Short mmCIF file of all heavy atoms in Angstrom, two decimals:
data_model
loop_
_atom_site.label_atom_id
_atom_site.label_comp_id
_atom_site.label_asym_id
_atom_site.label_seq_id
_atom_site.Cartn_x
_atom_site.Cartn_y
_atom_site.Cartn_z
N MET A 480 -22.54 -68.62 -31.54
CA MET A 480 -23.79 -67.95 -31.18
C MET A 480 -24.06 -66.81 -32.16
O MET A 480 -23.18 -65.99 -32.41
CB MET A 480 -23.70 -67.41 -29.75
CG MET A 480 -25.05 -67.00 -29.19
SD MET A 480 -24.90 -66.27 -27.53
CE MET A 480 -24.43 -64.60 -27.94
N GLU A 481 -25.27 -66.79 -32.68
CA GLU A 481 -25.62 -65.75 -33.64
C GLU A 481 -26.44 -64.66 -32.98
O GLU A 481 -27.38 -64.91 -32.25
CB GLU A 481 -26.41 -66.36 -34.80
CG GLU A 481 -25.81 -66.02 -36.13
CD GLU A 481 -26.51 -66.71 -37.28
OE1 GLU A 481 -27.74 -66.84 -37.24
OE2 GLU A 481 -25.81 -67.12 -38.23
N GLN A 482 -26.07 -63.44 -33.26
CA GLN A 482 -26.78 -62.29 -32.74
C GLN A 482 -27.41 -61.56 -33.92
O GLN A 482 -26.78 -61.45 -34.97
CB GLN A 482 -25.78 -61.36 -32.07
CG GLN A 482 -26.20 -60.87 -30.70
CD GLN A 482 -25.23 -59.83 -30.19
OE1 GLN A 482 -24.03 -59.93 -30.39
NE2 GLN A 482 -25.77 -58.81 -29.55
N GLU A 483 -28.62 -61.08 -33.74
CA GLU A 483 -29.29 -60.43 -34.84
C GLU A 483 -29.92 -59.12 -34.40
O GLU A 483 -30.50 -59.03 -33.32
CB GLU A 483 -30.39 -61.34 -35.38
CG GLU A 483 -31.07 -60.79 -36.61
CD GLU A 483 -32.28 -61.62 -37.02
OE1 GLU A 483 -33.24 -61.66 -36.25
OE2 GLU A 483 -32.24 -62.23 -38.10
N ILE A 484 -29.76 -58.11 -35.23
CA ILE A 484 -30.41 -56.82 -34.98
C ILE A 484 -31.26 -56.51 -36.20
O ILE A 484 -30.83 -56.74 -37.33
CB ILE A 484 -29.34 -55.73 -34.74
CG1 ILE A 484 -28.79 -55.87 -33.31
CG2 ILE A 484 -29.92 -54.34 -34.94
CD1 ILE A 484 -27.63 -54.99 -33.01
N ILE A 485 -32.47 -56.04 -35.98
CA ILE A 485 -33.37 -55.71 -37.08
C ILE A 485 -33.58 -54.21 -37.12
O ILE A 485 -33.90 -53.59 -36.10
CB ILE A 485 -34.71 -56.47 -36.95
CG1 ILE A 485 -34.44 -57.97 -37.10
CG2 ILE A 485 -35.72 -55.98 -37.97
CD1 ILE A 485 -35.60 -58.86 -36.80
N CYS A 486 -33.40 -53.62 -38.30
CA CYS A 486 -33.62 -52.18 -38.50
C CYS A 486 -35.11 -51.90 -38.30
O CYS A 486 -35.95 -52.49 -38.98
CB CYS A 486 -33.17 -51.77 -39.89
SG CYS A 486 -33.62 -50.06 -40.31
N ASN A 487 -35.44 -51.01 -37.38
CA ASN A 487 -36.84 -50.68 -37.11
C ASN A 487 -37.53 -50.04 -38.31
O ASN A 487 -38.74 -50.13 -38.46
CB ASN A 487 -36.94 -49.72 -35.92
CG ASN A 487 -36.75 -50.42 -34.60
OD1 ASN A 487 -35.62 -50.79 -34.26
ND2 ASN A 487 -37.81 -50.63 -33.87
N CYS A 488 -36.76 -49.37 -39.18
CA CYS A 488 -37.35 -48.63 -40.29
C CYS A 488 -37.66 -49.54 -41.48
O CYS A 488 -38.77 -49.54 -41.97
CB CYS A 488 -36.40 -47.51 -40.68
SG CYS A 488 -37.06 -46.45 -41.96
N CYS A 489 -36.69 -50.33 -41.94
CA CYS A 489 -36.88 -51.10 -43.17
C CYS A 489 -36.90 -52.61 -42.94
O CYS A 489 -37.19 -53.37 -43.86
CB CYS A 489 -35.80 -50.75 -44.20
SG CYS A 489 -34.18 -51.45 -43.80
N GLY A 490 -36.59 -53.04 -41.74
CA GLY A 490 -36.63 -54.47 -41.44
C GLY A 490 -35.38 -55.24 -41.84
O GLY A 490 -35.36 -56.46 -41.74
N ALA A 491 -34.34 -54.52 -42.30
CA ALA A 491 -33.10 -55.20 -42.68
C ALA A 491 -32.53 -55.94 -41.48
O ALA A 491 -32.58 -55.44 -40.35
CB ALA A 491 -32.09 -54.18 -43.20
N ARG A 492 -32.03 -57.14 -41.73
CA ARG A 492 -31.46 -57.95 -40.66
C ARG A 492 -29.94 -57.83 -40.69
O ARG A 492 -29.32 -58.00 -41.74
CB ARG A 492 -31.86 -59.41 -40.84
CG ARG A 492 -33.35 -59.64 -40.72
CD ARG A 492 -33.78 -60.83 -41.54
NE ARG A 492 -33.37 -62.09 -40.93
CZ ARG A 492 -34.17 -62.81 -40.14
NH1 ARG A 492 -35.39 -62.42 -39.90
NH2 ARG A 492 -33.74 -63.93 -39.60
N MET A 493 -29.38 -57.52 -39.54
CA MET A 493 -27.93 -57.43 -39.43
C MET A 493 -27.46 -58.54 -38.51
O MET A 493 -27.94 -58.67 -37.39
CB MET A 493 -27.55 -56.04 -38.89
CG MET A 493 -27.92 -54.93 -39.87
SD MET A 493 -27.86 -53.28 -39.16
CE MET A 493 -29.49 -53.17 -38.42
N LEU A 494 -26.58 -59.34 -39.00
CA LEU A 494 -26.13 -60.51 -38.25
C LEU A 494 -24.71 -60.34 -37.75
O LEU A 494 -23.86 -59.77 -38.44
CB LEU A 494 -26.18 -61.75 -39.14
CG LEU A 494 -27.55 -62.33 -39.44
CD1 LEU A 494 -27.44 -63.41 -40.52
CD2 LEU A 494 -28.18 -62.92 -38.19
N ALA A 495 -24.47 -60.84 -36.57
CA ALA A 495 -23.10 -60.85 -36.05
C ALA A 495 -22.55 -62.26 -36.19
O ALA A 495 -23.24 -63.24 -35.93
CB ALA A 495 -23.10 -60.45 -34.58
N LYS A 496 -21.32 -62.34 -36.69
CA LYS A 496 -20.65 -63.64 -36.74
C LYS A 496 -19.54 -63.63 -35.71
O LYS A 496 -18.70 -62.74 -35.72
CB LYS A 496 -20.09 -63.88 -38.14
CG LYS A 496 -21.17 -64.29 -39.12
CD LYS A 496 -20.61 -64.48 -40.52
CE LYS A 496 -21.78 -64.61 -41.50
NZ LYS A 496 -21.40 -64.23 -42.86
N GLU A 497 -19.55 -64.61 -34.84
CA GLU A 497 -18.61 -64.70 -33.72
C GLU A 497 -18.59 -63.40 -32.92
O GLU A 497 -17.54 -62.90 -32.53
CB GLU A 497 -17.20 -65.06 -34.22
CG GLU A 497 -17.10 -66.49 -34.70
CD GLU A 497 -16.23 -66.63 -35.94
OE1 GLU A 497 -15.36 -65.76 -36.11
OE2 GLU A 497 -16.45 -67.57 -36.70
N GLY A 498 -19.77 -62.83 -32.72
CA GLY A 498 -19.90 -61.64 -31.88
C GLY A 498 -19.54 -60.33 -32.54
O GLY A 498 -19.55 -59.29 -31.91
N ILE A 499 -19.21 -60.38 -33.85
CA ILE A 499 -18.80 -59.14 -34.53
C ILE A 499 -19.76 -58.83 -35.67
O ILE A 499 -19.98 -59.65 -36.56
CB ILE A 499 -17.36 -59.27 -35.08
CG1 ILE A 499 -16.37 -59.50 -33.92
CG2 ILE A 499 -16.96 -58.02 -35.87
CD1 ILE A 499 -15.03 -60.04 -34.36
N PHE A 500 -20.34 -57.62 -35.62
CA PHE A 500 -21.21 -57.18 -36.69
C PHE A 500 -20.37 -56.70 -37.87
O PHE A 500 -19.45 -55.91 -37.69
CB PHE A 500 -22.15 -56.06 -36.21
CG PHE A 500 -23.30 -56.59 -35.40
CD1 PHE A 500 -23.19 -56.70 -34.03
CD2 PHE A 500 -24.46 -57.00 -36.03
CE1 PHE A 500 -24.26 -57.21 -33.28
CE2 PHE A 500 -25.53 -57.50 -35.29
CZ PHE A 500 -25.42 -57.61 -33.92
N ARG A 501 -20.72 -57.18 -39.06
CA ARG A 501 -19.95 -56.79 -40.25
C ARG A 501 -20.46 -55.49 -40.86
O ARG A 501 -19.93 -55.01 -41.84
CB ARG A 501 -19.99 -57.91 -41.32
CG ARG A 501 -19.49 -59.24 -40.82
CD ARG A 501 -18.04 -59.12 -40.37
NE ARG A 501 -17.68 -60.16 -39.41
CZ ARG A 501 -16.92 -61.21 -39.70
NH1 ARG A 501 -16.44 -61.36 -40.89
NH2 ARG A 501 -16.65 -62.10 -38.77
N GLU A 502 -21.54 -54.99 -40.32
CA GLU A 502 -22.02 -53.68 -40.75
C GLU A 502 -22.40 -52.89 -39.51
O GLU A 502 -22.77 -53.45 -38.49
CB GLU A 502 -23.21 -53.82 -41.71
CG GLU A 502 -24.29 -54.75 -41.20
CD GLU A 502 -25.25 -55.18 -42.31
OE1 GLU A 502 -25.58 -54.33 -43.14
OE2 GLU A 502 -25.65 -56.34 -42.31
N ASP A 503 -22.27 -51.59 -39.62
CA ASP A 503 -22.55 -50.76 -38.45
C ASP A 503 -24.00 -50.29 -38.48
O ASP A 503 -24.66 -50.36 -39.52
CB ASP A 503 -21.59 -49.56 -38.45
CG ASP A 503 -21.25 -49.11 -37.03
OD1 ASP A 503 -21.89 -49.61 -36.08
OD2 ASP A 503 -20.35 -48.27 -36.87
N TYR A 504 -24.50 -49.87 -37.37
CA TYR A 504 -25.91 -49.49 -37.26
C TYR A 504 -26.03 -48.42 -36.18
O TYR A 504 -25.10 -48.18 -35.41
CB TYR A 504 -26.76 -50.70 -36.89
CG TYR A 504 -26.25 -51.42 -35.65
CD1 TYR A 504 -26.64 -50.99 -34.40
CD2 TYR A 504 -25.36 -52.48 -35.76
CE1 TYR A 504 -26.15 -51.61 -33.27
CE2 TYR A 504 -24.87 -53.10 -34.63
CZ TYR A 504 -25.26 -52.67 -33.39
OH TYR A 504 -24.76 -53.28 -32.27
N LEU A 505 -27.19 -47.79 -36.15
CA LEU A 505 -27.48 -46.80 -35.12
C LEU A 505 -28.36 -47.42 -34.06
O LEU A 505 -29.34 -48.10 -34.38
CB LEU A 505 -28.21 -45.59 -35.73
CG LEU A 505 -28.66 -44.51 -34.74
CD1 LEU A 505 -27.46 -43.69 -34.26
CD2 LEU A 505 -29.69 -43.59 -35.36
N HIS A 506 -28.00 -47.22 -32.80
CA HIS A 506 -28.81 -47.71 -31.69
C HIS A 506 -29.16 -46.51 -30.82
O HIS A 506 -28.26 -45.84 -30.30
CB HIS A 506 -28.02 -48.75 -30.89
CG HIS A 506 -28.78 -49.32 -29.74
ND1 HIS A 506 -28.17 -49.83 -28.62
CD2 HIS A 506 -30.12 -49.46 -29.54
CE1 HIS A 506 -29.10 -50.25 -27.76
NE2 HIS A 506 -30.28 -50.05 -28.30
N VAL A 507 -30.44 -46.23 -30.68
CA VAL A 507 -30.89 -45.09 -29.88
C VAL A 507 -31.69 -45.59 -28.69
O VAL A 507 -32.59 -46.42 -28.85
CB VAL A 507 -31.76 -44.12 -30.73
CG1 VAL A 507 -32.31 -43.00 -29.85
CG2 VAL A 507 -30.95 -43.54 -31.88
N VAL A 508 -31.33 -45.13 -27.52
CA VAL A 508 -32.10 -45.41 -26.30
C VAL A 508 -32.45 -44.07 -25.69
O VAL A 508 -31.58 -43.22 -25.49
CB VAL A 508 -31.29 -46.23 -25.28
CG1 VAL A 508 -32.15 -46.52 -24.04
CG2 VAL A 508 -30.79 -47.52 -25.88
N LYS A 509 -33.72 -43.86 -25.43
CA LYS A 509 -34.15 -42.59 -24.86
C LYS A 509 -35.11 -42.82 -23.71
O LYS A 509 -36.12 -43.51 -23.84
CB LYS A 509 -34.84 -41.75 -25.96
CG LYS A 509 -35.50 -40.49 -25.46
CD LYS A 509 -34.50 -39.48 -24.90
CE LYS A 509 -35.22 -38.23 -24.38
NZ LYS A 509 -34.33 -37.39 -23.56
N GLU A 510 -34.76 -42.26 -22.57
CA GLU A 510 -35.67 -42.26 -21.43
C GLU A 510 -36.27 -40.87 -21.33
O GLU A 510 -35.57 -39.90 -21.08
CB GLU A 510 -34.92 -42.63 -20.14
CG GLU A 510 -34.59 -44.11 -20.09
CD GLU A 510 -33.77 -44.51 -18.86
OE1 GLU A 510 -33.73 -43.74 -17.89
OE2 GLU A 510 -33.18 -45.60 -18.90
N TRP A 511 -37.57 -40.81 -21.58
CA TRP A 511 -38.25 -39.51 -21.62
C TRP A 511 -38.49 -39.00 -20.21
O TRP A 511 -38.83 -39.75 -19.31
CB TRP A 511 -39.56 -39.64 -22.39
CG TRP A 511 -39.33 -39.91 -23.83
CD1 TRP A 511 -39.31 -41.13 -24.44
CD2 TRP A 511 -39.04 -38.95 -24.84
NE1 TRP A 511 -39.03 -40.98 -25.77
CE2 TRP A 511 -38.86 -39.65 -26.05
CE3 TRP A 511 -38.91 -37.56 -24.86
CZ2 TRP A 511 -38.57 -39.02 -27.25
CZ3 TRP A 511 -38.62 -36.93 -26.05
CH2 TRP A 511 -38.44 -37.65 -27.23
N GLY A 512 -38.33 -37.71 -20.07
CA GLY A 512 -38.42 -37.10 -18.74
C GLY A 512 -39.72 -36.36 -18.50
O GLY A 512 -40.66 -36.37 -19.32
N TYR A 513 -39.74 -35.69 -17.39
CA TYR A 513 -40.93 -35.06 -16.85
C TYR A 513 -41.60 -34.09 -17.82
O TYR A 513 -42.82 -34.03 -17.91
CB TYR A 513 -40.55 -34.33 -15.56
CG TYR A 513 -41.74 -33.74 -14.84
CD1 TYR A 513 -42.66 -34.58 -14.21
CD2 TYR A 513 -41.95 -32.37 -14.82
CE1 TYR A 513 -43.77 -34.06 -13.56
CE2 TYR A 513 -43.06 -31.84 -14.17
CZ TYR A 513 -43.96 -32.68 -13.55
OH TYR A 513 -45.05 -32.16 -12.91
N PHE A 514 -40.81 -33.31 -18.56
CA PHE A 514 -41.40 -32.27 -19.40
C PHE A 514 -41.78 -32.77 -20.80
O PHE A 514 -42.02 -31.99 -21.71
CB PHE A 514 -40.47 -31.06 -19.49
CG PHE A 514 -40.31 -30.37 -18.17
CD1 PHE A 514 -39.15 -30.52 -17.42
CD2 PHE A 514 -41.36 -29.61 -17.65
CE1 PHE A 514 -39.02 -29.91 -16.19
CE2 PHE A 514 -41.23 -29.00 -16.41
CZ PHE A 514 -40.06 -29.14 -15.67
N SER A 515 -41.81 -34.06 -20.98
CA SER A 515 -42.24 -34.62 -22.26
C SER A 515 -43.62 -35.24 -22.11
O SER A 515 -44.13 -35.42 -21.01
CB SER A 515 -41.25 -35.70 -22.72
OG SER A 515 -41.49 -36.91 -22.01
N GLU A 516 -44.20 -35.60 -23.27
CA GLU A 516 -45.50 -36.27 -23.27
C GLU A 516 -45.35 -37.76 -22.92
O GLU A 516 -46.33 -38.48 -22.77
CB GLU A 516 -46.13 -36.17 -24.67
CG GLU A 516 -46.31 -34.76 -25.18
CD GLU A 516 -47.52 -34.06 -24.56
OE1 GLU A 516 -48.61 -34.63 -24.58
OE2 GLU A 516 -47.32 -32.94 -24.03
N LYS A 517 -44.09 -38.21 -22.87
CA LYS A 517 -43.83 -39.63 -22.67
C LYS A 517 -43.08 -39.87 -21.35
O LYS A 517 -42.24 -40.75 -21.24
CB LYS A 517 -43.00 -40.17 -23.84
CG LYS A 517 -43.75 -40.15 -25.16
CD LYS A 517 -42.87 -40.56 -26.33
CE LYS A 517 -42.08 -39.41 -26.90
NZ LYS A 517 -42.91 -38.30 -27.45
N ASP A 518 -43.38 -39.07 -20.37
CA ASP A 518 -42.69 -39.13 -19.08
C ASP A 518 -42.63 -40.56 -18.55
O ASP A 518 -43.65 -41.25 -18.48
CB ASP A 518 -43.41 -38.21 -18.09
CG ASP A 518 -42.67 -38.14 -16.75
OD1 ASP A 518 -41.46 -38.43 -16.73
OD2 ASP A 518 -43.31 -37.81 -15.75
N GLY A 519 -41.45 -41.00 -18.18
CA GLY A 519 -41.28 -42.31 -17.57
C GLY A 519 -41.20 -43.45 -18.57
O GLY A 519 -41.09 -44.60 -18.19
N LYS A 520 -41.23 -43.14 -19.86
CA LYS A 520 -41.15 -44.20 -20.87
C LYS A 520 -39.73 -44.27 -21.43
O LYS A 520 -39.08 -43.26 -21.67
CB LYS A 520 -42.12 -43.93 -22.02
CG LYS A 520 -43.56 -44.18 -21.65
CD LYS A 520 -44.41 -44.32 -22.92
CE LYS A 520 -45.81 -44.79 -22.63
NZ LYS A 520 -46.65 -43.77 -22.01
N ARG A 521 -39.28 -45.51 -21.64
CA ARG A 521 -37.98 -45.75 -22.24
C ARG A 521 -38.22 -46.29 -23.64
O ARG A 521 -38.96 -47.26 -23.82
CB ARG A 521 -37.24 -46.80 -21.40
CG ARG A 521 -35.84 -47.10 -21.86
CD ARG A 521 -35.23 -48.06 -20.84
NE ARG A 521 -33.81 -48.21 -21.02
CZ ARG A 521 -33.26 -49.19 -21.73
NH1 ARG A 521 -34.03 -50.10 -22.29
NH2 ARG A 521 -31.95 -49.26 -21.84
N GLN A 522 -37.63 -45.65 -24.64
CA GLN A 522 -37.81 -46.11 -26.01
C GLN A 522 -36.46 -46.42 -26.61
O GLN A 522 -35.44 -45.81 -26.27
CB GLN A 522 -38.54 -45.04 -26.83
CG GLN A 522 -39.97 -44.83 -26.35
CD GLN A 522 -40.77 -43.90 -27.23
OE1 GLN A 522 -40.28 -42.87 -27.66
NE2 GLN A 522 -42.01 -44.27 -27.49
N GLU A 523 -36.47 -47.36 -27.53
CA GLU A 523 -35.23 -47.87 -28.08
C GLU A 523 -35.47 -48.29 -29.52
O GLU A 523 -36.52 -48.87 -29.82
CB GLU A 523 -34.83 -49.09 -27.24
CG GLU A 523 -33.52 -49.69 -27.58
CD GLU A 523 -33.10 -50.75 -26.56
OE1 GLU A 523 -33.80 -50.96 -25.55
OE2 GLU A 523 -32.06 -51.39 -26.80
N PHE A 524 -34.55 -47.96 -30.42
CA PHE A 524 -34.68 -48.47 -31.79
C PHE A 524 -33.32 -48.59 -32.46
O PHE A 524 -32.33 -48.01 -32.01
CB PHE A 524 -35.64 -47.61 -32.63
CG PHE A 524 -35.17 -46.19 -32.89
CD1 PHE A 524 -34.36 -45.89 -33.97
CD2 PHE A 524 -35.56 -45.17 -32.05
CE1 PHE A 524 -33.94 -44.59 -34.22
CE2 PHE A 524 -35.14 -43.86 -32.27
CZ PHE A 524 -34.33 -43.56 -33.35
N TYR A 525 -33.34 -49.36 -33.56
CA TYR A 525 -32.14 -49.57 -34.36
C TYR A 525 -32.41 -49.09 -35.78
O TYR A 525 -33.51 -49.24 -36.28
CB TYR A 525 -31.78 -51.05 -34.42
CG TYR A 525 -31.32 -51.63 -33.12
CD1 TYR A 525 -32.23 -52.21 -32.25
CD2 TYR A 525 -29.96 -51.60 -32.76
CE1 TYR A 525 -31.81 -52.74 -31.03
CE2 TYR A 525 -29.55 -52.13 -31.55
CZ TYR A 525 -30.46 -52.71 -30.68
OH TYR A 525 -30.06 -53.24 -29.50
N LEU A 526 -31.40 -48.53 -36.41
CA LEU A 526 -31.49 -48.18 -37.82
C LEU A 526 -30.25 -48.71 -38.53
O LEU A 526 -29.13 -48.59 -38.02
CB LEU A 526 -31.53 -46.65 -38.02
CG LEU A 526 -32.80 -45.89 -37.66
CD1 LEU A 526 -32.62 -44.42 -37.99
CD2 LEU A 526 -34.02 -46.44 -38.37
N CYS A 527 -30.48 -49.28 -39.74
CA CYS A 527 -29.33 -49.67 -40.55
C CYS A 527 -28.70 -48.39 -41.12
O CYS A 527 -29.30 -47.31 -41.05
CB CYS A 527 -29.76 -50.63 -41.66
SG CYS A 527 -30.74 -49.87 -42.97
N GLU A 528 -27.51 -48.52 -41.70
CA GLU A 528 -26.81 -47.32 -42.16
C GLU A 528 -27.59 -46.61 -43.27
O GLU A 528 -27.62 -45.38 -43.32
CB GLU A 528 -25.40 -47.69 -42.64
CG GLU A 528 -24.55 -46.45 -42.86
CD GLU A 528 -23.10 -46.76 -43.22
OE1 GLU A 528 -22.76 -47.95 -43.36
OE2 GLU A 528 -22.34 -45.80 -43.37
N ALA A 529 -28.23 -47.36 -44.16
CA ALA A 529 -28.99 -46.75 -45.27
C ALA A 529 -30.14 -45.91 -44.74
O ALA A 529 -30.39 -44.80 -45.21
CB ALA A 529 -29.49 -47.83 -46.22
N CYS A 530 -30.86 -46.43 -43.74
CA CYS A 530 -31.99 -45.69 -43.17
C CYS A 530 -31.49 -44.49 -42.38
O CYS A 530 -32.12 -43.43 -42.37
CB CYS A 530 -32.85 -46.61 -42.30
SG CYS A 530 -33.76 -47.81 -43.28
N TYR A 531 -30.35 -44.65 -41.73
CA TYR A 531 -29.75 -43.53 -41.01
C TYR A 531 -29.42 -42.40 -41.99
O TYR A 531 -29.72 -41.24 -41.74
CB TYR A 531 -28.48 -44.00 -40.28
CG TYR A 531 -27.68 -42.87 -39.68
CD1 TYR A 531 -28.04 -42.32 -38.46
CD2 TYR A 531 -26.57 -42.35 -40.35
CE1 TYR A 531 -27.32 -41.26 -37.92
CE2 TYR A 531 -25.85 -41.29 -39.82
CZ TYR A 531 -26.22 -40.76 -38.60
OH TYR A 531 -25.51 -39.71 -38.09
N ASP A 532 -28.81 -42.78 -43.12
CA ASP A 532 -28.46 -41.76 -44.13
C ASP A 532 -29.70 -41.04 -44.64
O ASP A 532 -29.70 -39.82 -44.80
CB ASP A 532 -27.71 -42.41 -45.30
CG ASP A 532 -26.29 -42.82 -44.91
OD1 ASP A 532 -25.78 -42.32 -43.88
OD2 ASP A 532 -25.69 -43.64 -45.63
N LYS A 533 -30.78 -41.80 -44.89
CA LYS A 533 -32.03 -41.18 -45.36
C LYS A 533 -32.59 -40.23 -44.30
O LYS A 533 -33.08 -39.15 -44.61
CB LYS A 533 -33.08 -42.26 -45.67
CG LYS A 533 -33.00 -42.76 -47.11
CD LYS A 533 -34.13 -43.73 -47.39
CE LYS A 533 -33.56 -45.10 -47.68
NZ LYS A 533 -34.55 -46.18 -47.62
N LEU A 534 -32.51 -40.64 -43.04
CA LEU A 534 -33.02 -39.82 -41.94
C LEU A 534 -32.26 -38.50 -41.86
O LEU A 534 -32.86 -37.42 -41.82
CB LEU A 534 -32.91 -40.58 -40.61
CG LEU A 534 -33.31 -39.80 -39.36
CD1 LEU A 534 -34.81 -39.58 -39.31
CD2 LEU A 534 -32.84 -40.51 -38.10
N ILE A 535 -30.93 -38.57 -41.85
CA ILE A 535 -30.18 -37.32 -41.64
C ILE A 535 -30.24 -36.43 -42.89
O ILE A 535 -30.09 -35.22 -42.76
CB ILE A 535 -28.72 -37.56 -41.17
CG1 ILE A 535 -27.87 -38.26 -42.23
CG2 ILE A 535 -28.69 -38.31 -39.86
CD1 ILE A 535 -26.37 -38.22 -41.91
N GLU A 536 -30.48 -37.01 -44.07
CA GLU A 536 -30.67 -36.19 -45.27
C GLU A 536 -31.90 -35.29 -45.14
O GLU A 536 -32.00 -34.26 -45.79
CB GLU A 536 -30.83 -37.07 -46.51
CG GLU A 536 -29.50 -37.44 -47.16
CD GLU A 536 -29.68 -38.50 -48.24
OE1 GLU A 536 -30.77 -38.58 -48.85
OE2 GLU A 536 -28.72 -39.27 -48.45
N SER A 537 -32.86 -35.72 -44.31
CA SER A 537 -34.09 -34.94 -44.16
C SER A 537 -33.93 -33.81 -43.15
O SER A 537 -34.82 -32.99 -42.99
CB SER A 537 -35.24 -35.86 -43.74
OG SER A 537 -35.07 -36.28 -42.39
N PHE A 538 -32.79 -33.77 -42.46
CA PHE A 538 -32.56 -32.72 -41.45
C PHE A 538 -32.35 -31.38 -42.12
O PHE A 538 -31.70 -31.29 -43.18
CB PHE A 538 -31.31 -33.05 -40.61
CG PHE A 538 -31.46 -34.19 -39.65
CD1 PHE A 538 -30.38 -34.58 -38.86
CD2 PHE A 538 -32.65 -34.89 -39.51
CE1 PHE A 538 -30.49 -35.65 -37.97
CE2 PHE A 538 -32.77 -35.95 -38.62
CZ PHE A 538 -31.68 -36.33 -37.85
N LEU A 539 -32.84 -30.33 -41.50
CA LEU A 539 -32.61 -28.98 -41.99
C LEU A 539 -31.15 -28.58 -41.76
O LEU A 539 -30.49 -28.01 -42.63
CB LEU A 539 -33.54 -28.00 -41.26
CG LEU A 539 -33.45 -26.53 -41.66
CD1 LEU A 539 -33.83 -26.35 -43.13
CD2 LEU A 539 -34.36 -25.69 -40.78
N HIS A 540 -30.63 -28.93 -40.59
CA HIS A 540 -29.23 -28.65 -40.26
C HIS A 540 -28.44 -29.95 -40.33
O HIS A 540 -28.87 -30.94 -39.73
CB HIS A 540 -29.12 -28.05 -38.86
CG HIS A 540 -29.80 -26.72 -38.74
ND1 HIS A 540 -29.22 -25.55 -39.17
CD2 HIS A 540 -31.03 -26.40 -38.26
CE1 HIS A 540 -30.07 -24.55 -38.94
NE2 HIS A 540 -31.17 -25.04 -38.41
N PRO A 541 -27.33 -29.96 -41.03
CA PRO A 541 -26.57 -31.21 -41.14
C PRO A 541 -26.02 -31.68 -39.79
O PRO A 541 -25.81 -30.86 -38.90
CB PRO A 541 -25.42 -30.86 -42.10
CG PRO A 541 -25.36 -29.38 -42.14
CD PRO A 541 -26.70 -28.85 -41.75
N VAL A 542 -25.83 -32.98 -39.67
CA VAL A 542 -25.29 -33.51 -38.42
C VAL A 542 -23.83 -33.06 -38.27
O VAL A 542 -23.14 -32.80 -39.26
CB VAL A 542 -25.36 -35.07 -38.34
CG1 VAL A 542 -26.80 -35.54 -38.40
CG2 VAL A 542 -24.52 -35.72 -39.41
N MET A 543 -23.39 -32.97 -37.04
CA MET A 543 -22.01 -32.62 -36.77
C MET A 543 -21.15 -33.85 -37.01
O MET A 543 -21.46 -34.94 -36.55
CB MET A 543 -21.89 -32.18 -35.31
CG MET A 543 -20.67 -31.32 -35.02
SD MET A 543 -20.40 -31.12 -33.25
CE MET A 543 -22.03 -30.65 -32.69
N THR A 544 -20.10 -33.69 -37.78
CA THR A 544 -19.21 -34.81 -38.08
C THR A 544 -17.78 -34.46 -37.69
O THR A 544 -17.28 -33.41 -38.05
CB THR A 544 -19.24 -35.14 -39.59
OG1 THR A 544 -20.59 -35.41 -39.99
CG2 THR A 544 -18.38 -36.36 -39.91
N THR A 545 -17.17 -35.35 -36.92
CA THR A 545 -15.76 -35.16 -36.56
C THR A 545 -15.02 -36.46 -36.83
O THR A 545 -15.61 -37.54 -36.79
CB THR A 545 -15.60 -34.79 -35.07
OG1 THR A 545 -16.35 -35.70 -34.28
CG2 THR A 545 -16.09 -33.37 -34.78
N GLU A 546 -13.75 -36.35 -37.12
CA GLU A 546 -12.93 -37.54 -37.34
C GLU A 546 -12.60 -38.19 -36.00
O GLU A 546 -12.25 -37.51 -35.04
CB GLU A 546 -11.62 -37.18 -38.06
CG GLU A 546 -11.82 -36.60 -39.47
CD GLU A 546 -12.39 -37.64 -40.44
OE1 GLU A 546 -12.06 -38.83 -40.30
OE2 GLU A 546 -13.16 -37.24 -41.32
N VAL A 547 -12.71 -39.51 -35.96
CA VAL A 547 -12.41 -40.23 -34.74
C VAL A 547 -11.18 -41.09 -34.99
O VAL A 547 -11.11 -41.85 -35.94
CB VAL A 547 -13.60 -41.14 -34.32
CG1 VAL A 547 -13.27 -41.90 -33.05
CG2 VAL A 547 -14.87 -40.32 -34.15
N THR A 548 -10.21 -40.93 -34.12
CA THR A 548 -9.01 -41.76 -34.21
C THR A 548 -9.16 -42.89 -33.22
O THR A 548 -9.30 -42.66 -32.03
CB THR A 548 -7.76 -40.93 -33.89
OG1 THR A 548 -7.82 -39.71 -34.63
CG2 THR A 548 -6.50 -41.68 -34.24
N GLU A 549 -9.16 -44.11 -33.74
CA GLU A 549 -9.33 -45.26 -32.86
C GLU A 549 -7.98 -45.78 -32.40
O GLU A 549 -7.07 -45.99 -33.20
CB GLU A 549 -10.07 -46.39 -33.60
CG GLU A 549 -11.55 -46.41 -33.25
CD GLU A 549 -12.24 -47.62 -33.84
OE1 GLU A 549 -12.04 -48.73 -33.33
OE2 GLU A 549 -12.96 -47.43 -34.83
N LEU A 550 -7.86 -45.98 -31.11
CA LEU A 550 -6.64 -46.55 -30.57
C LEU A 550 -6.82 -48.06 -30.49
O LEU A 550 -7.74 -48.55 -29.85
CB LEU A 550 -6.33 -45.98 -29.19
CG LEU A 550 -6.09 -44.46 -29.14
CD1 LEU A 550 -6.06 -43.97 -27.71
CD2 LEU A 550 -4.79 -44.10 -29.85
N LEU A 551 -5.95 -48.80 -31.13
CA LEU A 551 -6.08 -50.27 -31.13
C LEU A 551 -5.13 -50.89 -30.13
O LEU A 551 -4.12 -50.37 -29.82
CB LEU A 551 -5.82 -50.84 -32.52
CG LEU A 551 -6.83 -50.40 -33.60
CD1 LEU A 551 -6.38 -50.92 -34.97
CD2 LEU A 551 -8.23 -50.93 -33.29
ZN1 ZN B 1471 -33.04 -49.89 -42.49
#
């Protein structure tokens, strides 16, 4: 079974082989609340790593980065 994710920004297609994605991506899900202009709306998007890098480069304050130790 093939699974596909499309980057909302550039349209890059990311494919999973046997359920495993060979490249990582950003997945954002946001449910907007009462004090927003989008109250009650759920929004969702995907970004490939290249678009993610471009996005965070535009930030005034750099993203917080910490090392993650994965337990296998
Ligand atoms: Zn992209």
